[in-house]
Amino acid sequence: MDLYGYEEWEYLESESSDAPGRRDSISTGRSEPHEANGKDECNLKAAARTAHNRDKKCLILWKDEEQRQPSTAGDGLCSVCQKINHVAETQLRPSCFHSPKNNWHLHLGLLKGILENTSCPGCRLIASLAKAVPKTEPDGPDYKDTSVTIRPRFPHARYLSQVPEPEDAPIEAEHENAWTMFSQMESSLSVVFEDCFVPVFSKTMMIPAKRVAGTIVRKDKTGRHWTNFNLHLEEGDESDIDSHQIRGLAVSSEVDVARFKHWIEHCGRRHYKCHVPSRGLTSAQQIRLIDVRDWRIVTAALDEKYIALSYVWGSDAKPILTNDRLLNLSLVDGLKGLDLPKTISDAMRLVRDLGERYLWVDSVCIVQDDEVDKLQQLSVMADVYESADIVVVAAAGQDAEVGLPGLYGSRRRPQLQQAETIGGVEFITTQPDIQEVLRWSVWNSRGWTFQESILSNRALIFTEGLVYWSCQVETWREDLNSDSAPGAIIPTDSSSLWGTGLAESGRKHKCRTLMYCEHVEPFTWRNFKDQSDVLWAFMGVLRKLGPKFPKGYIWGLPYDRLDATLLWQPVSNSCGSSRHPRVAKHKNSINDHKQNLPFPSWSWLSTETPISFLDTCGSGVISEVVWYEPMLFDGIGTDENQVEIVDYGYLQFGARTAQLILRLQDGYATPPVPETPVEATIHDSADKEAKQIGTIATVYGFFKGNTEQVGEFVLLSSNAERKADGLCRLVDRCSIDCGSIVHVDGCEHVQSRNIMLIEWDGEVAFRRGLTKMAGDDWDALEAEEKDIVLG
């Protein structure tokens, strides 16, 4: 069948939405394109339906050799954009939208071809989205060579049939909001730039090879103002269907604070779930706040109503509140005339214009040259963000001098939108969901902002080009009319500030170990100006997960799941040629005296390198040690009003150990630094031929300048298949640990062993590496029982 110069449509199998996007990696076996022979669009639709029935998910609309032909239909669309319309009418049917395997995506070719085709309104819409996409590094590939993919995007929306009272549960009904770009259906097209970057590891983040550049939606043409919050769909009322759809809005270069006030009032009036929970905070838990009316610093309790600021300090930030300034800044108008960073001064004015009085900012509310005050405030930092009425997130720029874009004379926001009329319908581009935008921000790379975002109850998020609202019930944004249409967008992993991870912590059957690991792993990619803050910056997450781990934590690892969470590894090639042990020490108090405690080698807190867990669920991990009571440090605590959830000390256990030979795989002409990661082979010291029985990643310093070294290995646990039989029983299929199987000693389900390389310093052992070994190889070794104190 010859369709638009092809013998037939080209489809690719895809099991996920991350289907391959590189055109040159696909072997199609098609013949070269030739002149279209006038086949009618019925053949086109028939081919699309046939492919749909074959459950294919990926359609290539353009070949490298093909030229984009101008339209003859009067709508100005090029030949490729015309195909989008035909495929949309035949493939993207509402009946497909409910399937979790709905992964339809269409390949449009390279971005440079779209940028050059300025005569096509469809190409102009897509090309405009390239403005917001970060370009590659100078020595990276040209961003114009990226592949462009579009996907149907169906917001998680609902219609509110009436305005509920605050004490009522929200009235929610699923709504199919299905439009395609050039038809009358009601969904949007998400534009994805693929191969924008080669996959790169950095300490800040692992840069993906694709990003959502934005979305093309139908533009709101009703002229309805966003303040009309009471608009709702009456039963049987179809007189103005366009007024009941989520549509795109043009965004001004300056923000409208009045709109934010309506968001806050609307949420406070209708969202019972968004009320700040009362946790019985005592008056002894004191913090400082900025009084934006009297321009001074005041002391208040955590149950005072206030707004908190989450922002980036920057490398050149200077302390604001110091001991010698505290008295003067506490006087009325004490903050006037002070040279405050633009972000902080903008936030103070915003709070006042929102009708509120108090603002919390760390650099203004914590005495920066008083270690006792800093430690006391660090211990309540999680409470500060969890108790805040609203958190203002300043996610634009690289430091605190950027300000809040579009507000009070700060830099004007870039105009990134494009509007086009196609077939009498007006379309406009909108920015990606908040998580996609934050992914590329400096704010998202900072260590403290991880828990600040997770713990916030309601957030107003300022990015370079747009302001977003994120709360427990809805998400709003300046470029969509969802705050005035009855079709509200509910929070998802991509559209809300914190995703749904910790929000699901109360789910009865959610695997607790998986939840823990899914928060630790991305947190370890974050950067800290002061590495000693790392545990304090994760304390709020640990407390949030606390009900899942009733025994508490030791150095950030849950007692209930120690066997699984001890199994972590530094991510390979995550930060150059060296691993970075965290030499900074944890700040705490022992018997009311400030102490600096070194992070233990067995905790993921001991490294600045990003880590990953060998088994993020741990359901197949079988403990091979006998746990003793840990050797805790005496007298450690925080403020007497704080509930301590983390212990500090050494682990103690009994285990089997074996002496094995380690050999460096590569020689070095010049000895590297001790922290350089190396790969070593493991050999049986009792075997005459010293056969290799495994490999391990460790550091060069372990070998002390040699190429071979004897090392002691400890058997921590075994890995078993998740299978039950007559001997190995499934205890609880729906337990908090994804089903617990009790394996008998020596069962056939065991596949491998988890062993830790240790090195002794006096009577305390320290971790030097971790690896897996085949079960039979370990069982053949000469091992002895030993009590271990692990520091």
Side-chain angles (χ1 to χ4, degrees):
M1 183 180 295
D2 186 11
L3 301 171
Y4 286 95
Y6 292 150
E7 290 188 25
E8 59 179 302
W9 288 102
E10 299 184 48
Y11 288 86
L12 303 177
E13 294 276 4
S14 173
E15 291 300 327
S16 73
S17 58
D18 295 324
R22 285 197 60 87
R23 179 65 189 86
D24 56 7
S25 67
I26 302 167
S27 177
T28 61
R30 310 295 188 199
S31 62
E32 293 296 314
H34 52 277
E35 193 69 20
N37 63 3
K39 296 290 185 182
D40 61 29
E41 67 178 53
C42 293
N43 290 335
L44 175 64
K45 295 180 179 180
R49 278 194 294 268
T50 299
H52 175 73
N53 292 335
R54 292 199 305 265
D55 196 28
K56 308 291 186 177
K57 303 294 185 184
C58 177
L59 175 59
I60 299 173
L61 300 186
W62 179 86
K63 281 187 174 181
D64 293 348
E65 304 87 351
E66 183 187 10
Q67 297 296 318
R68 295 174 183 271
Q69 301 298 325
S71 171
T72 59
D75 54 13
L77 296 176
C78 68
S79 56
V80 175
C81 289
Q82 289 178 50
K83 296 174 186 176
I84 299 174
N85 191 38
H86 290 299
V87 175
E89 292 175 349
T90 56
Q91 295 280 12
L92 306 178
R93 301 193 300 272
S95 60
C96 305
F97 305 155
H98 300 292
S99 171
K101 294 186 177 181
N102 175 32
N103 302 315
W104 279 108
H105 54 281
L106 315 175
H107 295 271
L108 304 187
L110 300 182
L111 176 59
K112 60 184 175 184
I114 295 173
L115 293 173
E116 294 168 355
N117 194 27
T118 58
S119 62
C120 171
C123 289
R124 289 197 298 266
L125 285 168
I126 296 171
S128 70
L129 295 173
K131 299 176 185 177
V133 176
K135 307 303 185 290
T136 57
E137 298 297 329
D139 56 349
D142 188 342
Y143 87 103
K144 294 181 181 180
D145 289 332
T146 186
S147 300
V148 178
T149 303
I150 59 174
R151 311 172 186 275
R153 182 177 183 274
F154 310 105
H156 290 70
R158 60 162 187 255
Y159 270 170
L160 301 178
S161 60
Q162 64 181 20
V163 180
E165 296 296 326
E167 64 271 19
D168 293 339
I171 299 176
E172 304 176 3
E174 291 295 326
H175 168 60
E176 288 179 0
N177 205 14
W179 347 309
T180 53
M181 181 173 173
F182 307 129
S183 72
Q184 295 303 309
M185 296 171 66
E186 293 301 324
S187 99
S188 59
L189 287 178
S190 182
V191 179
V192 181
F193 290 172
E194 307 201 32
D195 307 320
C196 220
F197 296 84
V198 293
V200 174
F201 286 91
S202 71
K203 182 59 181 75
T204 302
M205 66 184 77
M206 183 176 67
I207 301 175
K210 64 178 66 176
R211 76 161 287 172
V212 177
T215 305
I216 299 171
V217 302
R218 289 182 62 175
K219 188 175 181 182
D220 189 317
K221 62 181 182 180
T222 64
R224 180 178 61 250
H225 196 251
W226 48 262
T227 58
N228 187 7
F229 280 107
N230 292 322
L231 179 67
H232 61 277
L233 184 63
E234 299 288 353
E235 185 176 358
D237 180 12
E238 299 179 358
S239 58
D240 185 10
I241 191 64
D242 192 68
S243 68
H244 303 305
Q245 305 297 334
I246 296 177
R247 297 287 193 240
L249 298 174
V251 177
S252 169
S253 60
E254 297 182 356
V255 301
D256 186 350
V257 177
R259 188 177 186 187
F260 306 154
K261 289 185 69 174
H262 278 276
W263 287 352
I264 296 169
E265 293 168 2
H266 182 58
C267 175
R269 188 170 64 248
R270 296 179 57 176
H271 299 165
Y272 179 78
K273 289 172 62 177
C274 296
H275 294 177
V276 176
S278 174
R279 299 190 310 278
L281 301 172
T282 69
S283 58
Q285 290 177 297
Q286 298 287 304
I287 59 174
R288 298 182 188 90
L289 296 172
I290 301 172
D291 185 335
V292 300
R293 296 182 192 173
D294 292 343
W295 283 84
R296 64 171 180 161
I297 297 173
V298 298
T299 301
L302 270 169
D303 56 1
E304 182 67 68
K305 184 181 181 182
Y306 62 92
I307 292 175
L309 178 66
S310 176
Y311 69 113
V312 176
W313 276 45
S315 57
D316 298 327
K318 297 178 180 179
I320 297 175
L321 181 61
T322 56
N323 269 313
D324 60 345
R325 284 179 167 179
L326 179 58
L327 180 59
N328 288 336
L329 296 183
S330 300
L331 302 175
V332 175
D333 293 335
L335 290 170
K336 282 188 175 179
L338 194 65
D339 186 18
L340 294 171
K342 191 71 172 68
T343 299
I344 296 176
S345 61
D346 280 358
M348 290 174 62
R349 185 172 173 184
L350 174 64
V351 170
R352 188 170 63 251
D353 290 350
L354 290 174
E356 301 300 334
R357 183 165 187 172
Y358 297 112
L359 172 68
W360 186 91
V361 182
D362 55 2
S363 60
V364 186
C365 299
I366 300 175
V367 182
Q368 299 299 312
D369 60 352
D370 187 330
E371 291 299 318
V372 174
D373 187 75
K374 287 177 69 174
L375 180 58
Q376 191 276 332
Q377 294 298 313
L378 283 176
S379 68
V380 298
M381 194 72 74
D383 294 296
V384 167
Y385 284 92
E386 197 167 21
S387 302
D389 184 53
I390 300 167
V391 174
V392 173
V393 175
Q398 301 184 19
D399 54 41
E401 296 298 337
V402 172
L404 302 177
L407 198 64
Y408 311 130
S410 292
R411 59 179 177 179
R412 294 173 68 86
R413 300 188 294 184
Q415 298 300 287
L416 303 175
Q417 289 179 292
Q418 179 83 10
E420 298 285 350
T421 300
I422 302 171
V425 178
E426 193 170 3
F427 295 91
I428 193 169
T429 57
T430 63
Q431 292 200 31
D433 284 340
I434 184 60
Q435 285 296 333
E436 183 69 24
V437 175
L438 291 179
R439 183 196 303 182
W440 306 90
S441 67
V442 175
W443 178 88
N444 201 51
S445 71
R446 306 308 301 165
W448 277 105
T449 61
F450 186 84
Q451 80 169 7
E452 290 170 10
S453 64
I454 287 176
L455 298 178
S456 60
N457 204 44
R458 309 191 297 173
L460 192 63
I461 309 149
F462 286 78
T463 68
E464 291 285 355
L466 203 66
V467 179
Y468 299 78
W469 170 269
S470 185
C471 68
Q472 306 295 317
V473 179
E474 297 185 51
T475 60
W476 298 317
R477 40 191 291 172
E478 290 178 289
D479 59 357
L480 291 177
N481 68 353
S482 57
D483 54 355
S484 59
I489 299 176
I490 62 177
T492 65
D493 282 334
S494 63
S495 67
S496 72
L497 177 61
W498 46 82
T500 58
L502 281 180
E504 296 180 345
S505 60
R507 284 177 52 185
K508 182 178 179 180
H509 303 318
K510 179 74 172 181
C511 175
R512 58 178 176 172
T513 313
L514 178 62
M515 291 185 64
Y516 172 85
C517 294
E518 285 180 342
H519 285 85
V520 170
E521 289 181 349
F523 176 74
T524 61
W525 286 90
R526 299 296 186 105
N527 298 321
F528 284 90
K529 190 172 183 178
D530 185 349
Q531 291 291 335
S532 65
D533 290 345
V534 60
L535 179 53
W536 289 119
F538 199 68
M539 197 70 75
V541 178
L542 296 178
R543 189 178 66 195
K544 199 84 171 179
L545 292 172
K548 294 284 187 180
F549 303 104
K551 295 181 181 178
Y553 306 87
I554 181 167
W555 281 111
L557 274 63
Y559 279 118
D560 302 79
R561 300 295 289 161
L562 262 183
D563 293 295
T565 55
L566 279 170
L567 306 178
W568 56 269
Q569 285 275 39
V571 176
S572 301
N573 300 321
S574 58
C575 55
S577 59
S578 298
R579 290 185 185 168
H580 299 278
R582 184 168 275 116
V583 296
K585 298 180 180 180
H586 177 64
K587 298 174 183 177
N588 211 312
S589 61
I590 297 181
N591 297 324
D592 297 328
H593 298 287
K594 179 178 171 295
Q595 295 289 330
N596 295 324
L597 307 174
F599 294 102
S601 62
W602 44 266
S603 171
W604 52 266
L605 294 166
S606 66
T607 178
E608 296 178 22
T609 307
I611 66 99
S612 63
F613 291 94
L614 300 186
D615 187 337
T616 55
C617 185
S619 58
V621 175
I622 306 171
S623 180
E624 297 287 355
V625 305
V626 178
W627 290 106
Y628 307 144
E629 288 295 318
M631 185 185 295
L632 299 181
F633 303 145
D634 292 332
I636 293 185
T638 54
D639 187 274
E640 61 180 4
N641 295 288
Q642 285 293 109
V643 178
E644 189 65 49
I645 62 170
V646 176
D647 289 336
Y648 305 92
Y650 295 154
L651 295 179
Q652 294 191 101
F653 55 89
R656 284 172 286 174
T657 70
Q659 302 285 331
L660 302 175
I661 298 173
L662 282 77
R663 292 175 182 167
L664 282 176
Q665 288 188 301
D666 300 312
Y668 297 91
T670 302
V673 296
E675 292 79 18
T676 301
V678 294
E679 192 79 16
T681 54
I682 304 173
H683 303 264
D684 185 355
S685 57
D687 185 76
K688 292 182 179 180
E689 299 180 357
K691 70 173 182 177
Q692 179 180 335
I693 54 177
T695 62
I696 190 171
T698 183
V699 292
Y700 182 78
F702 177 80
F703 287 87
K704 300 176 174 58
N706 303 313
T707 58
E708 184 174 297
Q709 186 77 7
V710 175
E712 184 170 3
F713 286 83
V714 179
L715 174 61
L716 294 178
S717 54
S718 297
N719 303 300
E721 295 179 281
R722 295 196 68 249
K723 292 182 178 180
D725 54 24
L727 297 176
C728 302
R729 297 177 293 105
L730 177 63
V731 177
D732 184 359
R733 184 181 300 275
C734 296
S735 76
I736 54 178
D737 296 317
C738 290
S740 299
I741 299 176
V742 178
H743 292 273
V744 299
D745 188 31
C747 76
E748 60 181 13
H749 301 138
V750 172
Q751 297 176 312
S752 58
R753 312 288 191 184
N754 300 310
I755 58 176
M756 178 185 290
L757 173 64
I758 61 173
E759 189 175 27
W760 291 87
D761 184 357
E763 297 181 353
V764 180
F766 296 87
R767 167 184 159 141
R768 294 294 180 257
L770 185 81
T771 191
K772 288 184 178 182
M773 179 177 289
D776 292 342
D777 287 336
W778 175 268
D779 294 342
L781 298 175
E782 296 180 2
E784 62 173 329
E785 296 285 344
K786 185 179 289 189
D787 288 341
I788 307 290
V789 177
L790 194 61

